């Protein structure tokens, strides 16, 4: 057609089915089309074992537009959810709150630096009565580890600093390596 084509059913809530024979391919649009527009109360995409591929030369936006509705991405069974790859510049997560939970396997958050000043920061900001809490319910002697394997460690507090054991008459041991000195306080301490 040299003009627009409308394919419409006009009564009985009738369906429109487009179904290539056998393993034939259903193609909608081409690279020179301006837009493919799909509107409906509900849109369902089902694919078999070959999966679904979405490619775009530009940005991709996935957005809900009303009803404070959620977006859920959930691989089947033990499938893996992969976001990004090593050559991506950044992954940004912004929200009023967020929760990252894992159950049953070891987990990690790691920054592999390749230059100086590539710091990894975990921070609570804002002048409020809020806390940064690192906690563990592990039962071993190393249930919570803070280790600097190749450099030093600074612990600085603007207020009182408490180091306390809370059960089992447990000891506190401070032991410099080898001939290192244990220094408590300085000449200007009261």
């Amino acid at each position: 057609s040299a003009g627009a084509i409308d394919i419409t059913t006009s009564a009985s809530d009738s369906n429109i089915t487009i179904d290539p024979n056998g393993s034939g391919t259903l193609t909608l649009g081409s690279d020179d089309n301006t837009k493919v527009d799909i509107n409906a109360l509900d849109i369902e995409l089902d694919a078999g074992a070959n999966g679904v591929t979405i490619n775009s030369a530009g940005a991709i936006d996935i957005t809900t537009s009303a009803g404070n509705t959620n977006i859920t991405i959930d691989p089947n069974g033990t499938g893996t959810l992969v976001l990004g790859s090593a050559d991506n510049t950044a992954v940004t997560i912004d929200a009023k709150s967020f929760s990252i939970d894992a159950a049953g396997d070891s987990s990690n958050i790691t920054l592999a630096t390749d230059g100086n000043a590539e710091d990894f920061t975990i921070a609570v900001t804002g002048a409020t009565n809020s806390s940064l809490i690192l906690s563990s319910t592990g039962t071993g002697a190393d249930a919570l580890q803070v280790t600097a394997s190749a450099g030093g460690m600074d612990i600085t507090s603007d207020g009182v600093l408490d180091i306390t054991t809370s059960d089992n008459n447990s000891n506190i041991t401070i032991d410099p390596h080898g001939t290192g000195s244990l220094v408590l306080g300085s000449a200007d301490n009261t």
Side-chain angles (χ1 to χ4, degrees):
S1 171
I5 296 178
D6 292 324
I7 302 175
T8 308
T9 59
S10 59
S12 302
D13 296 321
S14 303
N15 300 328
I16 296 174
T17 301
I18 303 174
D19 184 12
N21 177 258
S23 59
T25 299
L26 173 61
T27 302
L28 297 177
S30 62
D31 290 341
D32 60 352
N33 293 145
T34 303
K35 184 178 181 180
V36 174
D37 195 358
I38 301 174
N39 295 304
L41 288 172
D42 183 31
I43 297 174
E44 181 176 344
L45 298 176
D46 293 321
N50 290 335
V52 176
T53 301
I54 301 174
N55 289 320
S56 174
I60 296 178
D61 294 322
I62 302 175
T63 307
T64 59
S65 58
N68 298 316
T69 42
N70 300 327
I71 296 176
T72 301
I73 303 174
D74 184 12
N76 176 259
T78 58
T80 299
L81 174 62
V82 179
L83 297 176
S85 61
D87 60 350
N88 293 145
T89 302
V91 174
T92 301
I93 302 174
D94 294 317
K96 294 187 67 175
S97 66
F98 69 91
S99 176
I100 301 175
D101 298 313
D105 287 302
S106 297
S107 304
N108 73 88
I109 300 174
T110 303
L111 168 63
T113 65
D114 57 8
N116 293 331
E118 294 180 351
D119 300 325
F120 186 91
T121 301
I122 300 175
V124 174
T125 62
T128 61
N129 185 7
S130 304
S131 301
L132 174 63
I133 301 171
L134 300 177
S135 67
S136 171
T137 60
T139 58
D142 59 350
L144 180 63
Q145 300 181 43
V146 180
T147 303
S149 62
M153 184 180 298
D154 292 327
I155 301 176
T156 304
S157 174
D158 186 60
V160 175
L161 179 64
D162 292 323
I163 301 176
T164 308
T165 59
S166 60
D167 202 3
N168 297 322
N169 299 312
S170 302
N171 300 328
I172 296 176
T173 301
I174 303 175
D175 183 13
H177 176 260
T179 58
S181 298
L182 175 60
V183 179
L184 296 176
S186 62
D188 61 350
N189 292 145
T190 303

